[in-house]
Amino acid sequence: KAGVTQTPRYLIKTRGQQVTLSCSPISGHRSVSWYQQTPGQGLQFLFEYFSETQRNKGNFPGRFSGRQFSNSRSEMNVSTLELGDSALYLCASSWGDRGSDTQYFGPGTRLTVL
Amino acid sequence: GNSVTQMEGPVTLSEEAFLTINCTYTATGYPSLFWYVQYPGEGLQLLLKATKADDKGSNKGFEATYRKETTSFHLEKGSVQVSDSAVYFCALTLQKGAQKLVFGQGTRLTINP
């Protein structure tokens, strides 16, 4: 079974631009979560989708948004990019919606904002 | 709130040494506990998990026991290898309707041959 895939793997943008990142979960998984990883703040939860509905959202500004499609694929969008948005963005998928369900991570998208 | 505290790193050991990475948590509910590992340039891989008190998770020689009385989930391995060099993250989720992982700050482990 293929793992979680994320595209693109690397992105370079300039301040003020917007960006869309894509995540394809493991086949059959219905839950997709997004995390931001930076050296200063570590791993922080962005949001979670289950069956196309956003169930949880982390403490990030409204510039960060996401969605999930009927095939469980998910996208996240960051508008009006700031230098501080440079980070590794990780997507994770799981079969169910319980906290005890294992989340499987993709390799991440490395975003650099210049 | 919910939080995870890991032992400060980095940690450097010699091959075949005994490893312990401490992890304690605070949670408003009854959490599930996880250890994830991140190799350079990669995403996170689940190492092991435990979902109720006194459960022991184990994988690849690593073990951790869910201790509710001490709110801890310490990671141990009896004999480390160079290939175990990575960053290790302790994390929790709450049981009900929440896939939100709360991570510790990570511990960088380097094993010298």
Side-chain angles (χ1 to χ4, degrees), chain B:
Chain B
N2 305 310
S3 65
V4 175
T5 302
Q6 281 181 241
M7 107 190 227
E8 293 283 331
V11 174
T12 302
L13 296 172
S14 298
E15 204 165 21
E16 299 184 2
F18 184 85
L19 168 70
T20 300
I21 302 178
N22 289 338
C23 171
T24 58
Y25 67 89
T26 58
T28 52
Y30 198 138
S32 292
L33 302 173
F34 303 81
W35 277 100
Y36 280 88
V37 58
Q38 186 173 35
Y39 298 100
E42 297 184 13
L44 302 175
Q45 296 178 23
L46 177 71
L47 186 57
L48 51 85
K49 75 177 189 181
T51 59
K52 60 182 188 296
D54 301 323
D55 267 1
K56 178 187 282 188
S58 62
N59 185 27
K60 300 180 181 179
F62 290 90
E63 293 182 341
T65 300
Y66 190 141
R67 299 287 188 203
K68 194 167 187 290
E69 65 276 12
T70 54
T71 62
S72 65
F73 193 54
H74 305 321
L75 183 68
E76 296 182 336
K77 186 175 185 183
S79 176
V80 293
Q81 307 300 313
V82 172
S83 57
D84 294 327
S85 298
V87 181
Y88 292 80
F89 293 92
C90 185
L92 67 80
T93 60
L94 294 179
Q95 291 280 15
K96 289 192 174 182
Q99 286 280 295
K100 172 184 174 180
L101 279 161
V102 176
F103 287 93
Q105 68 269 39
T107 301
R108 182 174 298 278
L109 174 67
T110 301
I111 308 299
N112 293 321

Side-chain angles (χ1 to χ4, degrees), chain A residues 3 17 19 37 69 86 88 93 101 104 110:
Chain A
Q17 288 187 308
V19 66
Q37 185 177 25
F69 302 96
S86 294
L88 180 67
S93 76
D101 292 330
Y104 296 88
R110 171 78 59 187

Side-chain angles (χ1 to χ4, degrees), chain A residues 3-20:
Chain A
V4 178
T5 57
Q6 293 187 244
T7 55
R9 290 293 309 276
Y10 301 92
L11 266 178
I12 300 176
K13 294 285 187 179
T14 56
R15 278 182 301 173
Q17 288 187 308
Q18 76 165 15
V19 66
T20 299

Side-chain angles (χ1 to χ4, degrees), chain A residues 41-113:
Chain A
Q41 299 298 316
L43 281 154
Q44 293 185 284
F45 172 80
L46 279 156
F47 26 64
E48 177 211 345
Y49 289 88
F50 184 81
S51 295
E52 301 180 66
T53 300
Q54 186 182 90
R55 295 201 312 156
N56 291 287
K57 191 175 192 306
N59 190 24
F60 280 82
R63 300 184 297 107
F64 291 81
S65 63
R67 59 179 174 168
Q68 187 181 32
F69 302 96
S70 58
N71 61 358
S72 293
R73 191 177 69 85
S74 177
E75 290 181 346
M76 67 163 281
N77 184 277
V78 188
S79 62
T80 320
L81 284 166
E82 301 178 358
L83 295 179
D85 297 334
S86 294
L88 180 67
Y89 290 88
L90 293 164
C91 165
S93 76
S94 66
W95 183 85
D97 63 348
R98 297 176 305 172
S100 56
D101 292 330
T102 297
Q103 293 184 51
Y104 296 88
F105 283 80
T109 294
R110 171 78 59 187
L111 172 64
T112 302
V113 182

